[in-house]
Amino acid sequence: MTGPVPELADRAAACADRLLEADRVLLASHIDADGLTSAAIAAQALERAAIPFETVFEKQLDEAAIASIAATDYDTVLFTDFGSGQLDIIGEHEDADDFTPVIADHHQPADRDTEFHLNPLLFGIDGASELSGAGASYVLARALADASDSDPAVDADGGEANRSTSEPRSDGGEASEARRASSAHRRCSDGGIVTASGATDVRADNRDLAALAVVGAVGDMQASSGELHGANEAIVEEGVEAGVLETGKDLALYGKQTRPLPKLLEYATDVHIPGISNDENGALRFLDGLDLELKRDGEWRRWSGLTNDEKQTVASALVKRAVSTGVPASKIDQLVSTAYVLPEEPVGTELRDASEFSTLLNATARYERADVGLGVCLGDRTGALERARKLLRNHRRNLSEGIDLVTREGVTHEEHLQWFHAGDEIRETIVGIVAGMAMGNEGISRSKPILAFAEKSAEGDAAEDAAEVKVSSRGTHNLVRQGLDLSVVMGEASRAVGGDGGGHDVAAGATVPEGKEDAFIERADEIVGEQLS
């Protein structure tokens, strides 16, 4: 099997073989949507391959976190959605025989490598726009299924050892159900399993995990141009073939599954339509002017509940309004994008739309409940999902308050960038999201990258934590096309003042010593100026 991304096939196979040699594995992952889906993909792949494992999450994979991992008695550690940028530190522990690292990541690697390192950047594939951490985990999962000698159709889950300790499932979950689904099978030429009914068992070759990989990519902003590109496209194709994904052109608005129509239009600000965007009464007047049944039983309908003809009516009216109010043609084109739908999830829920699913996951991770997000990814549609929805409501409220704060207080403009310091008024885990969402508001430019500082939350050694400040940065894809690379900006500027950082070209983060913010901004402004000159 060459897998969905042929360039990565050999390295993925080597990583899979190494995992199969392990008696057990410690799975360590990041906490955002991409990290959670990466962990869920890896967890299900390990379970199906009958490899015992335990899962841990880290908000930041720094020296202390890696030392904590090294202090466990695991000889093999699988890092997903981070690890590449920390290879210098991980390598020291590898040299000391603390553990053997296997890495499935897409971030910029440190100046060192290791044998079992699966990263698209090593093979000429852009990790910021063509393959996410979840995508790298999916490539590994496909290779692991192909390399595994275990029988995925036999009900032998191995007990608790074969399940992540942070999994909230008590019933064995979807993976166990898949193993019980068929006892009569034979191998296909493509590596899948044909059941007694003749249908290919997409769980046996892990193609059903493509849906989570797409959720991770969308959550990592890799579909910001309207659709997924590069290696991500191959994963989408496998998901469609497996029946776990559907794609099609649709309005490029967030909340098509869950938001009432007036709120869907009012909050649609990526393409600003005068008289509708950020205008509650204007959105209501617009809808009232359409000859459609837009309410049922006294409740506004949602986009997901409209017929195709009704959707066309609303979309056409939106375009006409945009044209009549002078919205540029290039912006109007952005009203339509590719939708990624999970057809096995109920219509009208956050889980049916990849974008809303990823936002739900981010809401769990940003509030130190990665276990809840993982549970949702692994199929818990009761307790974990309800807890996630509660966290999402809180997340939205905090984002709204944060955006209001930044817009009210304003930002400081340097020659090439803009910035604000939130102190303890915005959580460090969401300050970057707030910064990105605030761009374009009054006084906050979209033609400059934005940097956001926040106090680090107290954990571990409080004195040590108090001595550092978190900084997040956001740009636009238009700025990236002009040469902006915030990964370089964050990395070089933070190290110049005794901190550390990295990430992607359009979004990156760092920690810097408290009191060094001004020096950091000065160096960051210089680097951005050099990149955009």
Side-chain angles (χ1 to χ4, degrees):
M1 184 194 81
T2 60
V5 188
E7 298 92 332
L8 305 183
D10 289 344
R11 183 64 60 87
C15 292
D17 288 341
R18 180 61 185 83
L19 291 172
L20 287 167
E21 292 173 3
D23 293 329
R24 59 191 188 128
V25 170
L26 180 63
L27 169 59
S29 194
H30 195 212
I31 63 166
D32 62 3
D34 195 21
L36 286 168
T37 49
S38 298
I41 290 167
Q44 292 182 81
L46 289 169
E47 183 176 357
R48 293 171 184 181
I51 301 172
F53 69 97
E54 178 182 353
T55 304
V56 296
F57 290 94
E58 296 290 348
K59 181 167 58 179
Q60 182 178 343
L61 190 65
D62 55 18
E63 190 169 349
I66 296 170
S68 177
I69 288 171
T72 68
D73 56 357
Y74 283 87
D75 294 327
T76 303
V77 180
L78 171 58
F79 296 92
T80 60
D81 194 39
F82 55 21
S84 294
Q86 299 78 24
L87 261 173
D88 49 348
I89 304 171
I90 290 172
E92 293 176 2
H93 288 283
E94 182 180 15
D95 292 343
D97 291 327
D98 293 334
F99 59 79
T100 297
V102 179
I103 299 172
D105 193 11
H106 66 135
H107 294 94
Q108 190 65 43
D111 189 20
R112 171 172 176 144
D113 202 1
T114 188
E115 183 177 1
F116 306 110
H117 185 195
L118 183 63
N119 187 315
L121 290 165
L122 302 176
F123 301 90
I125 298 172
D126 190 342
S129 63
E130 295 185 305
L131 194 71
S132 68
S137 290
Y138 176 75
V139 172
L140 176 58
R142 294 278 281 115
L144 193 56
D146 190 59
S148 175
D149 290 330
S150 65
D151 185 346
V154 175
D155 183 15
D157 62 14
E160 291 299 321
N162 279 347
R163 189 174 300 129
S164 158
T165 57
S166 55
E167 277 184 54
R169 292 183 294 170
S170 60
D171 62 352
E174 293 182 336
S176 295
E177 289 179 13
R179 283 195 299 271
R180 289 192 292 267
S182 173
S183 59
H185 63 275
R186 63 182 185 278
R187 282 281 172 187
C188 287
S189 59
D190 65 358
I193 297 291
V194 172
T195 64
S197 65
T200 301
D201 184 352
V202 297
R203 297 182 190 276
D205 58 17
N206 288 334
R207 283 185 298 143
D208 64 308
L209 304 178
L212 285 175
V214 168
V215 171
V218 170
D220 206 53
M221 300 189 296
Q222 297 200 3
S224 58
S225 59
E227 62 183 350
L228 294 171
H229 296 283
N232 283 319
E233 291 182 88
I235 297 176
V236 170
E237 290 176 6
E238 291 204 342
V240 171
E241 292 170 0
V244 295
L245 274 175
E246 292 177 355
T247 66
K249 294 298 181 181
D250 203 348
L251 275 185
L253 305 183
Y254 176 83
K256 293 191 293 290
Q257 291 291 326
T258 59
R259 281 180 174 167
L261 282 168
K263 293 302 180 184
L264 177 74
L265 300 180
E266 177 190 348
Y267 294 151
T269 56
D270 285 347
V271 178
H272 185 84
I273 302 178
I276 296 177
S277 301
N278 291 325
D279 187 337
E280 181 180 4
N281 291 329
L284 287 168
R285 287 193 299 270
F286 169 79
L287 289 168
D288 285 341
L290 301 179
D291 186 21
L292 292 176
E293 180 195 9
L294 296 173
K295 282 187 176 181
R296 283 187 179 165
D297 299 325
E299 298 290 333
W300 283 97
R301 295 169 68 192
R302 289 164 170 75
W303 183 263
S304 58
L306 300 182
T307 66
N308 287 336
D309 287 343
E310 289 172 330
K311 290 178 180 179
Q312 185 61 49
T313 297
V314 177
S316 296
L318 269 179
V319 171
K320 288 178 181 178
R321 173 65 67 86
V323 171
S324 68
T325 53
V327 177
S330 60
K331 286 287 187 181
I332 294 174
D333 289 342
Q334 294 175 22
L335 280 171
V336 177
S337 67
T338 298
Y340 299 95
V341 174
L342 282 65
E344 295 182 342
E345 302 294 344
V347 174
T349 67
E350 303 92 340
L351 306 181
R352 191 172 174 88
D353 177 85
S355 180
E356 294 192 64
F357 197 151
S358 68
T359 299
L360 182 76
L361 294 179
N362 268 323
T364 68
R366 306 289 177 175
Y367 300 91
E368 288 78 49
R369 290 307 306 269
D371 60 314
V372 173
L374 181 64
V376 173
C377 288
L378 294 175
D380 186 337
R381 297 294 178 263
T382 53
L385 181 56
E386 288 308 310
R387 287 191 292 273
R389 285 172 170 159
K390 183 176 181 179
L391 288 165
L392 177 59
R393 289 191 292 271
N394 180 56
H395 181 54
R396 285 173 171 161
R397 182 172 58 253
N398 288 339
L399 289 178
S400 177
E401 292 174 354
I403 293 167
D404 288 344
L405 173 68
V406 175
T407 303
R408 183 175 64 251
E409 299 292 332
V411 300
T412 300
H413 285 268
E414 305 296 337
E415 185 175 0
H416 305 291
L417 58 79
Q418 56 195 327
W419 61 276
F420 67 90
H421 201 311
D424 62 356
E425 295 190 73
I426 301 176
R427 293 175 65 97
E428 60 159 306
T429 55
I430 68 169
V431 72
I433 303 173
V434 169
M437 294 178 71
M439 292 179 76
N441 286 6
E442 184 177 357
I444 306 173
S445 175
R446 289 187 61 83
S447 63
K448 293 180 178 180
I450 186 169
L451 273 59
F453 294 91
E455 290 184 5
K456 291 195 70 176
S457 58
E459 58 184 41
D461 186 341
E464 180 180 344
D465 287 334
E468 289 186 329
V469 175
K470 171 71 180 294
V471 55
S472 297
S473 63
R474 294 293 187 272
T476 66
H477 286 275
N478 184 48
L479 288 170
V480 170
R481 285 190 289 270
Q482 296 176 45
L484 178 70
D485 188 339
L486 288 174
S487 176
V488 173
V489 175
M490 291 289 99
E492 292 188 4
S494 62
R495 287 189 285 274
V497 298
D500 197 17
H504 298 303
D505 50 14
V506 74
T511 54
V512 298
E514 187 177 17
K516 296 291 186 179
E517 293 96 328
D518 288 345
F520 171 83
I521 291 166
E522 182 178 356
R523 179 63 186 130
D525 192 54
E526 291 175 356
I527 300 171
V528 172
E530 293 167 359
Q531 291 180 345
L532 298 180
S533 62

